[in-house]
Amino acid sequence: MSSKPMPLELLPIPIDAHRAGNTGIPFAHRLESGQPGPAVTITALIHGNEVCGAHALDLLLQSGFRPAIGSLTLIFCNIAAYMRFDAREPTASRFVDEDMNRVWSEQVLRSSRSSVELERAREIEPLIAATDLLLDIHSMQTPSPALMLSGPLAKGRDLARQVGVPAFVVADEGHKAGRRMRDYGGFGDAASPKNALLVECGQHWAADSRAMAIETMLRFLKATGQADDSLLAQYGLSATAAAPQHFVEVTEAVTIETEEFRFAEEFTGLETIPAAGTIIAQDGPVAVRTPYDDCVLIMPTKRLKPGQTAVRLGRRLPA
Ligand SMILES: [Zn+2]
């Protein structure tokens, strides 16, 4: 599959002014309301090349925003990777040693293993563990419409509904390769009141991804009770989101088996394939077909290597 390079509309911004922070942990800020309420956290740059979240947090920090209730912690996560950004090879700054969004289990965090990402995850872990409500801001390889990854539990979908954007909410289990931050501890426990969302704002370097990161952040703050409609109005946003939401449940992942994996079309993500049995890819001798009618393709990869997830398949859920 040919993959033409995406134009770099959205680039990293200097964030050195945010290094000191006020939590004792570099690039982590806490804004206190002085009132009781939830411990809310918004994170950016778990993947160093996903710069839209850094734009959103920088905007909020510069605005002088204070939460109405509880506390708000803002963390720029994988700084080491972000600092390596090179416009000639923009995807190289995703991580330094390993994917920082696959290390979020007690087993991995408490292990004796070391990496740049694991050390940073251990550094911010106390802030994440103390969080009641988390929004983790990401972006995607392909120019897919934005989507919310709400996790496998109903409480994640409920929070996504309260936020109201993006228009697509995808309920998913995460990755076999390791647990994501949004599934860590109480976030992944149906019995815990803790809750987390991961937003994929669009393509990494698309200007629209910045706007989606900011809108999702502001509507999330409203959903937590830390902000009201006047904050939305300040950024030209109406009280309620414009588009209705669609909920999709991931049913399976297509794992690449051979070096000869090719998609049937250049899918970007969130396409709905009407008929069961439609060929969506060829993996060596095997045709990959949709298993049911109205199958939704979620985040097709451009890294077509054996063992990788090529695409995840989803079924529409009632809203
Ligand atoms: Zn990401």
Side-chain angles (χ1 to χ4, degrees):
M1 188 170 83
S2 69
S3 53
K4 38 185 189 304
M6 301 289 167
L8 301 178
E9 299 169 347
L10 190 66
L11 290 167
I13 46 170
I15 56 168
D16 233 46
H18 306 310
R19 181 181 294 272
N22 61 352
T23 60
I25 297 167
F27 292 100
H29 293 253
R30 175 157 301 144
L31 310 175
E32 296 282 359
S33 68
Q35 302 297 320
V40 176
T41 298
I42 306 178
T43 47
L45 300 176
I46 274 279
H47 294 131
N49 61 333
E50 301 180 359
V51 300
C52 62
H55 282 258
L57 294 195
D58 178 68
L59 183 80
L60 197 64
L61 283 164
Q62 300 223 27
S63 73
F65 173 78
R66 283 289 174 275
I69 55 171
S71 67
L72 174 62
T73 303
L74 305 173
I75 313 173
F76 300 86
C77 296
N78 197 342
I79 297 302
Y82 180 69
M83 295 302 184
R84 289 187 172 198
F85 183 85
D86 180 346
R88 289 165 300 180
E89 216 186 334
T91 48
S93 54
R94 181 173 173 82
F95 54 77
V96 178
D97 292 330
E98 64 178 315
D99 189 328
M100 198 178 169
N101 213 23
R102 302 287 182 273
V103 301
W104 292 89
S105 66
E106 295 287 327
Q107 198 189 356
V108 175
L109 290 169
R110 313 280 177 245
S111 72
S112 57
R113 199 160 72 68
S114 182
S115 71
V116 165
E117 279 73 22
L118 209 33
E119 292 310 318
R120 179 59 172 161
R122 287 169 180 145
E123 192 170 52
I124 66 172
E125 189 274 340
L127 302 175
I128 303 301
T131 297
D132 296 316
L133 299 169
L134 172 73
L135 174 67
D136 186 25
I137 303 176
H138 289 249
S139 55
M140 298 179 274
Q141 290 174 300
T142 54
S144 165
L147 56 98
M148 190 71 95
L149 294 178
S150 65
L153 302 173
K155 67 179 182 178
R157 295 196 290 284
D158 291 343
L159 184 54
R161 199 174 287 116
Q162 287 164 39
V163 174
V165 291
F168 276 89
V169 178
V170 175
D172 72 322
E173 294 278 356
H175 304 269
K176 287 197 182 73
R179 194 180 294 155
R180 302 172 298 189
M181 188 168 68
R182 64 131 288 115
D183 304 311
Y184 183 56
F187 303 141
D189 176 358
S192 166
K194 294 187 177 214
N195 214 341
L197 294 170
L198 187 165
V199 63
E200 299 278 5
C201 295
Q203 208 281 330
H204 300 321
W205 305 290
D208 286 353
S209 300
R210 180 180 187 272
M212 180 50 73
I214 292 166
E215 179 171 1
T216 307
M217 172 181 74
L218 298 173
R219 294 196 186 282
F220 178 75
L221 288 171
K222 182 183 166 186
T224 66
Q226 294 197 326
D228 59 20
D229 292 341
S230 66
L231 179 73
L232 299 176
Q234 220 177 299
Y235 292 90
L237 297 170
S238 59
T240 49
Q245 285 176 302
H246 306 282
F247 290 75
V248 178
E249 180 179 39
V250 173
T251 58
E252 58 205 277
V254 175
T255 303
I256 300 171
E257 305 289 347
T258 76
E259 295 283 354
E260 282 82 46
F261 187 101
R262 298 288 176 271
F263 281 110
E265 286 174 46
E266 192 150 346
F267 297 117
T268 58
L270 298 180
E271 290 93 348
T272 299
I273 311 296
T278 303
I279 296 175
I280 54 167
Q282 194 71 35
D283 193 357
V286 176
V288 180
R289 297 170 187 272
T290 52
Y292 39 78
D293 289 348
D294 295 326
C295 179
V296 182
L297 308 185
I298 298 150
M299 294 177 73
T301 189
K302 289 181 181 294
R303 299 186 207 103
L304 298 174
K305 295 271 170 359
Q308 295 276 346
T309 298
V311 62
R312 290 185 280 170
L313 306 180
R315 203 193 286 275
R316 295 283 186 112
L317 292 173

